């Protein structure tokens, strides 16, 4: 049995997968918001899940931020109480078994690469375009963590080939013009406000575009153009077999038809073809991918 845990800013979610990849137990509790509280809650969750399934499982944990392969400490998590903490080692001690941890976007991509929308590809790049932006790269069913734990950290690169209307913005990470400020759902809203002077939620902009509002349509087109440019940059580095999109903006169906032509127009040589598809597992990708940090067992 594989147990996967997704550590979110406000909640902790755990699920157990059987050998067929079916979720056989699932629990969700609030994130206590402190480091010790979080570790205790995670240990409790594993105990409750194992009581439900009547078996001991492997434990994988998806976290915000990344874990340095050099010192095992978490960095750049928006749940800031995790930063500088040896989460993997503390959970390994508390649970009495080896625990694997990975970035939450990496878990999403792993889940999709194993048995989701990316299952047909050897090289799968995936991005979360939600409140924030994250990315991950999976090759042959394994996350590319990288020498420093930075593999797939796409969200804090700058948007390439910047247009005039996309005035760059300070990002919480200390840089300017990051994708997180322009390709996230909140970035979609921010650039619409820059273009029109009107503050609307992302879903409201999308609804207005569908109703024929020209300014909203232009903001959606501009968003898709940014996303296509940002994906072209990845194509020129790893040229994935499949690109998977997750998060709120991935549910906007209008983005998929125009994306390939935008990517093609920005890749070296102008000839490119690969599927860009929405994630299969939606909100379950986090726990499913965390569980898949360990191999399937009977
Ligand atoms: Zn940034």
């Amino acid at each position: 049995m594989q147990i996967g845990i997704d550590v979110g800013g406000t909640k902790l979610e755990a699920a157990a997968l059987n050998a067929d990849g079916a979720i056989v137990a699932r629990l969700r509790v609030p994130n206590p918001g402190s480091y010790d509280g979080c570790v205790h809650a995670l240990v409790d969750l594993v105990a409750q899940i194992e009581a439900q399934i009547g078996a001991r499982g492997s434990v994988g944990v998806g976290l915000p931020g990344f874990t340095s392969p050099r010192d095992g400490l978490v960095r750049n998590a928006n749940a800031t109480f995790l930063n500088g903490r040896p989460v993997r080692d503390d959970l390994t001690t508390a649970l009495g078994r080896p625990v694997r941890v990975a970035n939450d976007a990496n878990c999403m991509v792993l889940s999709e690469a194993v048995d989701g929308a990316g299952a047909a590809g050897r090289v799968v790049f995936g991005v979360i375009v939600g409140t924030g932006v994250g990315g991950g790269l999976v090759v042959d069913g394994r996350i590319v963590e990288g020498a420093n734990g930075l593999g797939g950290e796409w969200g804090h690169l700058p948007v390439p080939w910047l247009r005039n209307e996309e005035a760059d913005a300070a990002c919480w990470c200390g840089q300017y013009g990051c994708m997180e400020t322009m390709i996230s759902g909140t970035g979609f809203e921010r650039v619409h406000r820059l273009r029109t002077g009107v503050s609307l939620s992302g879903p409201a902009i999308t609804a207005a575009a569908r109703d024929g509002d020209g300014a909203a349509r232009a903001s959606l087109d501009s968003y898709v153009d940014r996303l296509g440019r940002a994906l072209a940059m990845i194509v020129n580095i790893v040229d994935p077999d499949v690109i998977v999109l997750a998060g709120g903006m991935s549910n906007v169906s209008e983005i998929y038809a125009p994306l390939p032509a935008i990517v093609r127009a920005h890749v070296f040589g102008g000839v490119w073809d690969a599927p860009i598809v929405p994630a299969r597992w939606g909100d379950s990708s986090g726990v499913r991918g965390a569980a898949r940090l360990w191999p399937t067992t009977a």
Side-chain angles (χ1 to χ4, degrees):
M1 203 73 70
Q2 297 160 291
I3 298 172
I5 301 178
D6 186 22
V7 175
T10 58
K11 66 175 172 54
L12 309 173
E13 185 167 3
L17 302 194
N18 67 15
D20 298 325
I23 291 182
V24 293
R26 186 170 203 154
L27 285 170
R28 182 184 285 198
V29 297
N31 187 331
S34 69
Y35 184 68
D36 290 344
C38 186
V39 169
H40 285 133
L42 292 175
V43 171
D44 279 351
L45 270 178
V46 171
Q48 289 180 53
I49 286 269
E50 290 186 333
Q52 278 189 27
I53 62 180
R56 188 174 163 95
S58 57
V59 177
V61 181
L63 298 169
F66 66 96
T67 299
S68 167
R70 300 186 191 282
D71 57 18
L73 304 180
V74 172
R75 293 201 169 83
N76 278 24
N78 54 7
T80 50
F81 58 82
L82 297 172
N83 290 324
R85 299 288 194 154
V87 177
R88 178 190 57 211
D89 295 346
D90 284 348
L91 286 175
T92 292
T93 302
L95 287 165
R97 76 195 84 176
V99 170
R100 291 183 178 170
V101 301
N103 168 265
D104 46 14
N106 286 350
C107 288
M108 180 283 287
V109 186
L110 179 61
S111 169
E112 294 296 326
V114 169
D115 59 3
R122 277 191 58 211
V123 178
V124 182
F125 186 74
V127 302
I128 296 175
V129 279
T131 309
V133 167
L137 177 65
V138 170
V139 178
D140 290 332
R142 295 179 69 95
I143 294 169
V144 178
E145 297 273 7
N148 298 279
L150 290 165
E153 284 290 343
W154 176 79
H156 294 274
L157 288 169
V159 176
W161 300 286
L162 213 59
R163 312 287 193 233
N164 282 339
E165 77 270 19
E166 298 162 350
D168 63 359
C171 181
W172 62 265
C173 77
Q175 303 286 359
Y176 290 86
C178 291
M179 299 200 191
E180 177 129 323
T181 69
M182 295 200 204
I183 294 180
S184 60
T186 43
F188 177 45
E189 296 163 4
R190 195 184 64 80
V191 178
H192 180 73
R193 196 166 57 242
L194 276 175
R195 295 170 56 88
T196 65
V198 178
S199 289
L200 285 177
S201 71
I205 302 167
T206 303
R210 286 172 181 158
D211 285 345
D213 180 308
R217 182 74 231 182
S219 285
L220 187 55
D221 291 346
S222 144
Y223 174 84
V224 177
D225 196 68
R226 283 194 295 285
L227 181 57
R229 280 179 266 145
L231 293 175
M233 190 159 58
I234 293 301
V235 170
N236 269 12
I237 300 171
V238 293
D239 198 355
D241 297 312
V242 185
I243 296 172
V244 180
L245 307 184
M249 290 304 295
S250 75
N251 297 322
V252 179
S253 58
E254 288 88 343
I255 68 177
Y256 294 94
L259 265 179
I262 298 164
V263 174
R264 201 171 292 123
H266 290 88
V267 299
F268 187 52
V271 179
W272 167 85
D273 190 27
I276 302 176
V277 291
R280 173 183 179 187
W281 293 113
D283 291 344
S284 294
S285 267
V287 286
R288 297 184 69 87
R292 258 62 187 268
L293 293 173
W294 289 95
T296 303
T297 52

